[in-house]
Amino acid sequence: MGVGPGPAGAGSLQKDSKVAAAKGQAVRASRKQVTMKGLYFQQSSTNEKITFVFQERENLPVAEDNYVKLQVKACALSHINTKLLAEMKMEKDFFPVGREIAGIVLDVGSKVSFFQPDDEVVGILPLDSEDPGLCEVVRVHEHYLVHKPEKVSWTEAAGTVRDGVRAYTALHYLSRLAPGKWVLIMDGASALGTIAIQLAHHRGARVISTACSPEDKQYLEGLRPALARVIDVSGGKAHVAESCLEETGGLGVDIVLDAGVRLYSKDDEPAAELQLLPHKHDILTLLGVGGHWVTTEENLQLDPPDSHCLFLKGATVAFLNDEVWNLSNVQQGKYLCVLKDVMEKLATGVLGLVWMSLSRLMRPKSPWKGSRKIKEEKSKLFSFNFVISQISVE
């Protein structure tokens, strides 16, 4: 015989509801008490001293609107452009470190339409992000993320996304890459250079590249499909312009993607690392009619004779600034298409992950000279994969 809804039953229900409420309060309290460690970058007022600081952070609030709460599984380091942050009025006392992330969606806001909990995603945190990628959980707008293909590992996704976007932008948006085109990619053994070579070969282009050391030359000569020519500039004897004109039958190359250029003569460039860069006149000489020069040199200076040379050839100069995608909301749709296509090419084997050697990461004046200590601390501070797979240095 069942018990009717009398006073005893009502008391039992009230008791159960109080227990449930108490449990809910305990869970919420425990969540509030959770702290996480995040890595930040601090620069002295004179911009000479660089310090990496681990800071404890409160657990992130519940995701709202178009924001996604993400558990980071892998993060890659890239250069922190403090100059650009200053120009964009985004200066901070502490800059979050690590923007290329891959992870699992934990929670989504009410207006999120692309993702749901447990989705595997990859993306690049925006310039004004308050959260460092080197943290267990971050909060990010859904328009900075795309789905990670199942075949792609966390490490591959985080380590390839930025240079994949840069190479894609340079070859598909800033120049007209097409089958049969001659493409010169400077410093092809770098992460950007290797991915650009892979994209160019995928489109059927003929690729020439430069090597900054004998080891880089050996690496480039082992790539398949094979490069048309590898120019070893480490000894300072090879002339890039002459080599390219010889290889192309005097016609010049259709697309140039540089890794920086010398604006002055070698006698006026005391820095040893600048000696390996081609002079801007070399680029102008080897550029073919209707060619495209995509430069990473933000302070490029062209004199009137240089501009006249470009005019006679009907050639163009474009500046590679991959941050431009995040600086204009109008470009958001194209940006997501680029991210998605980079991941698809990674999943199908068109692109491959590039690991930078430790000797290249620890170059003099590198803003990541502290990375060795960061790697030593990883097991004590983070439970996810810590990846240093793409690092650009000035």
Side-chain angles (χ1 to χ4, degrees):
M1 183 175 181
V3 179
S12 177
L13 290 175
Q14 291 178 356
K15 184 177 179 180
D16 290 342
S17 63
K18 289 181 179 179
V19 171
K23 287 183 178 179
Q25 291 177 357
V27 170
R28 288 191 293 271
S30 64
R31 287 179 178 175
K32 290 181 180 179
Q33 295 173 359
V34 173
T35 58
M36 298 173 291
K37 290 185 182 294
L39 183 64
Y40 292 82
F41 163 85
Q42 186 179 29
Q43 197 166 21
S44 65
S45 57
T46 60
N47 294 334
E48 293 180 356
K49 186 178 180 181
I50 296 173
T51 306
F52 290 95
V53 181
F54 289 103
Q55 292 187 341
E56 289 190 350
R57 305 170 61 249
E58 294 284 338
N59 194 23
L60 294 176
V62 176
E64 298 177 348
D65 297 334
N66 292 96
Y67 282 84
V68 172
K69 185 185 287 189
L70 186 70
Q71 179 188 1
V72 180
K73 302 296 288 185
C75 176
L77 295 183
S78 60
H79 173 63
I80 300 176
N81 194 336
T82 54
K83 181 180 178 181
L84 178 61
L85 289 171
E87 292 174 349
M88 299 300 298
K89 309 299 182 184
M90 297 180 182
E91 291 179 291
K92 307 173 184 177
D93 293 333
F94 295 93
F95 299 96
V97 173
R99 294 173 55 200
E100 302 79 34
I101 58 173
I104 300 175
V105 174
L106 298 177
D107 192 15
V108 298
S110 58
K111 297 182 180 179
V112 171
S113 56
F114 296 152
F115 307 104
Q116 58 186 2
D118 296 327
D119 280 352
E120 297 182 353
V121 297
V122 58
I124 303 175
L125 297 178
L127 273 173
D128 59 352
S129 174
E130 297 291 336
D131 303 325
L134 287 175
C135 191
E136 295 179 30
V137 178
V138 298
R139 194 169 68 106
V140 58
H141 197 284
E142 66 171 331
H143 289 167
Y144 295 106
L145 302 170
V146 295
H147 286 94
K148 180 186 75 66
E150 185 178 352
K151 294 181 179 180
V152 178
S153 69
W154 303 115
T155 298
E156 291 173 329
T160 309
V161 61
R162 174 172 290 278
D163 285 306
V165 169
R166 296 183 73 200
Y168 202 105
T169 302
L171 297 178
H172 289 284
Y173 281 89
L174 301 181
S175 58
R176 295 192 294 268
L177 181 65
K181 294 278 189 178
W182 280 103
V183 181
L184 171 62
I185 297 174
M186 311 298 293
D187 195 10
S190 66
L192 171 62
T194 301
I195 292 178
I197 289 173
Q198 293 170 340
L199 281 177
H201 275 154
H202 179 65
R203 286 286 290 158
R206 295 171 288 184
V207 183
I208 303 171
S209 185
T210 61
C212 299
S213 69
E215 292 79 14
D216 288 352
K217 182 174 184 291
Q218 183 180 7
Y219 165 74
L220 291 173
E221 289 177 340
L223 292 179
R224 294 294 180 271
L227 298 173
R229 176 177 289 199
V230 177
I231 306 171
D232 186 359
V233 299
S234 61
K237 297 180 180 180
H239 198 287
V240 177
E242 290 181 0
S243 299
C244 289
L245 290 174
E246 178 184 348
E247 187 65 35
T248 60
L251 298 178
V253 301
D254 301 296
I255 299 172
V256 178
L257 173 57
D258 70 35
V261 295
R262 283 188 295 110
L263 303 180
Y264 312 102
S265 64
K266 288 189 176 182
D267 296 335
D268 297 329
E269 295 278 15
E273 59 267 22
L274 296 178
Q275 300 294 324
L276 300 179
L277 297 178
H279 193 277
K280 61 179 180 179
H281 293 157
D282 295 332
I283 304 296
L284 294 172
T285 301
L286 62 85
L287 196 62
V289 174
H292 302 277
W293 176 10
V294 181
T295 182
T296 59
E297 179 55 63
E298 60 183 74
N299 297 316
L300 179 67
Q301 300 175 19
L302 295 179
D303 300 320
D306 302 330
S307 299
H308 187 65
C309 179
L310 289 171
F311 168 76
L312 292 176
K313 293 185 176 185
T316 63
V317 177
F319 292 87
L320 178 57
N321 175 17
D322 51 297
E323 298 293 353
V324 73
W325 293 111
N326 292 330
L327 297 178
S328 173
N329 292 331
V330 177
Q331 304 292 333
Q332 204 68 47
K334 292 182 180 179
Y335 175 61
L336 291 177
C337 288
V338 172
L339 284 178
K340 183 178 179 181
D341 199 42
V342 168
M343 287 298 110
E344 288 178 352
K345 284 181 168 55
L346 188 60
T348 56
V350 174
L351 302 180
L353 181 65
V354 182
W355 291 96
M356 304 283 284
S357 66
L358 187 61
S359 61
R360 294 184 67 130
L361 302 184
M362 300 304 172
R363 286 176 181 172
K365 298 184 179 179
S366 167
W368 297 109
K369 289 182 70 176
S371 299
R372 190 190 306 273
K373 184 176 185 300
I374 297 171
K375 290 185 72 176
E376 293 171 353
E377 295 291 331
K378 67 175 182 178
S379 60
K380 295 185 291 184
L381 296 172
F382 302 102
S383 59
F384 55 86
N385 297 329
F386 183 86
V387 182
I388 303 181
S389 55
Q390 52 156 342
I391 297 181
S392 56
V393 297
E394 290 185 338

